[in-house]
Amino acid sequence: MNKFSLCPRYEIAFSILGKKWTGLIIRCLLDGPKRFSDLSELIPHLSAKVLADRMKELEQLKLVNRTVYPEIPVKIEYSLTEQGRDLEQTLHAVQAWAEKWITVDCK
Amino acid sequence: MNKFSLCPRYEIAFSILGKKWTGLIIRCLLDGPKRFSDLSELIPHLSAKVLADRMKELEQLKLVNRTVYPEIPVKIEYSLTEQGRDLEQTLHAVQAWAEKWITVDCK
DNA sequence: ATTTTTTAATTACTTTATGTAAGTATCATA
DNA sequence: TATGATACTTACATAAAGTAATTAAAAAAT
């Protein structure tokens, strides 16, 4: 066996995608910018606390932009950066795998 | 409890890949069968405890086979099932994304 | 006969992540 | 004054992951 550890990049990449809810959030944003409440509705088992945590992380990682529109009431939109959108192939691959292998009623 | 709403398959898929270390373990196994100690060496920041937990989960999910060779000392090999190997495209997509966007020294 | 070695874990304990329910801040309208 | 909408935050509880030491089985070494 070779004894070299994996490239740190992969560990970093998997430490992002390997967090609960991250993949689903980014997948939702692939459809276009979304508000906090949109994401909450689209992913109903994701709590406001964890959604807030994830959006902060994704913003810091530069995968997501947070834009404030000073309307009344204030409107905040989350959208993918180029780096975030570039996960599209990855997430589509997950989707294809899920459709092939996971058997559940799916409307 | 386990009410999956959006597309249940998709939530289930991310509940597997969205666990820490799962992606890296499967990626290692894409290179061929590996022993417990091989995986430990390949993923040095992964503890024996969590590796054992993950291998049990992946075996139950039918993504990984566990084969016991009654040699002395006993040899146990983990290999991907067809379902597990079929994550190759997904993991290669993650790898491509990591290589494009994550900048780290990588020997 | 007892100790050591090897592989593949397990155990006890600590720390971090996530879940749950309620509360906060801001501004506008009734 | 009270209520409603949006986007969170807070306090607390449980689940998952990290750490270090220990175990089991069998052969080999002392």
Side-chain angles (χ1 to χ4, degrees):
Chain A
M1 261 324 302
N2 88 54
K3 297 197 175 163
F4 300 113
S5 67
L6 288 173
C7 177
R9 279 177 187 158
Y10 308 148
E11 263 191 66
I12 292 168
F14 281 114
S15 75
I16 297 167
L17 298 172
K19 289 199 109 173
K20 207 164 174 182
W21 303 114
T22 303
L24 280 175
I25 291 168
I26 295 174
R27 178 193 174 274
C28 286
L29 293 174
L30 285 171
D31 290 335
K34 298 275 177 296
R35 304 175 68 166
F36 192 95
S37 53
D38 295 332
L39 292 166
S40 263
E41 284 167 27
L42 287 166
I43 314 174
H45 303 112
L46 166 58
S47 70
K49 173 183 180 279
V50 176
L51 177 54
D53 288 351
R54 285 296 166 278
M55 298 321 288
K56 269 184 207 155
E57 290 167 9
L58 293 173
E59 200 190 343
Q60 285 180 341
L61 289 164
K62 309 286 186 196
L63 271 72
V64 160
N65 297 307
R66 181 179 185 275
T67 311
V68 179
Y69 297 94
E71 302 172 2
I72 297 306
V74 68
K75 177 179 170 181
I76 291 168
E77 244 184 24
Y78 294 98
S79 57
L80 294 174
T81 62
E82 192 192 345
Q83 182 175 354
R85 268 195 309 279
D86 210 35
L87 282 166
E88 188 164 16
Q89 303 316 307
T90 300
L91 299 181
H92 283 351
V94 173
Q95 186 164 357
W97 181 85
E99 279 163 14
K100 181 168 178 183
W101 290 103
I102 296 177
T103 51
V104 178
D105 291 299
C106 179
K107 52 179 184 213
Chain B
M1 206 41 238
N2 272 339
K3 304 177 295 176
F4 294 110
S5 64
L6 225 134
C7 176
R9 280 177 187 156
Y10 218 54
E11 267 191 59
I12 291 168
F14 278 113
S15 75
I16 299 167
L17 298 172
K19 288 199 109 173
K20 205 161 173 184
W21 303 113
T22 303
L24 280 174
I25 291 168
I26 295 175
R27 178 192 176 278
C28 287
L29 293 174
L30 285 171
D31 290 336
K34 298 275 177 296
R35 304 176 68 169
F36 192 94
S37 53
D38 296 332
L39 291 166
S40 263
E41 284 170 27
L42 287 166
I43 314 175
H45 301 112
L46 165 59
S47 69
K49 174 187 179 274
V50 175
L51 177 54
D53 289 350
R54 284 296 165 279
M55 298 323 285
K56 268 185 208 156
E57 290 166 7
L58 293 173
E59 201 190 343
Q60 285 180 340
L61 288 165
K62 309 287 185 196
L63 271 73
V64 160
N65 297 308
R66 182 180 186 274
T67 310
V68 180
Y69 297 93
E71 300 170 4
I72 298 304
V74 68
K75 177 179 171 182
I76 290 167
E77 241 183 27
Y78 294 98
S79 58
L80 294 175
T81 61
E82 193 193 343
Q83 182 175 353
R85 267 194 309 280
D86 210 35
L87 281 166
E88 187 165 15
Q89 302 317 307
T90 300
L91 299 181
H92 282 350
V94 174
Q95 188 165 343
W97 181 85
E99 280 165 13
K100 180 167 178 183
W101 290 104
I102 296 177
T103 50
V104 177
D105 291 300
C106 178
K107 45 176 180 226

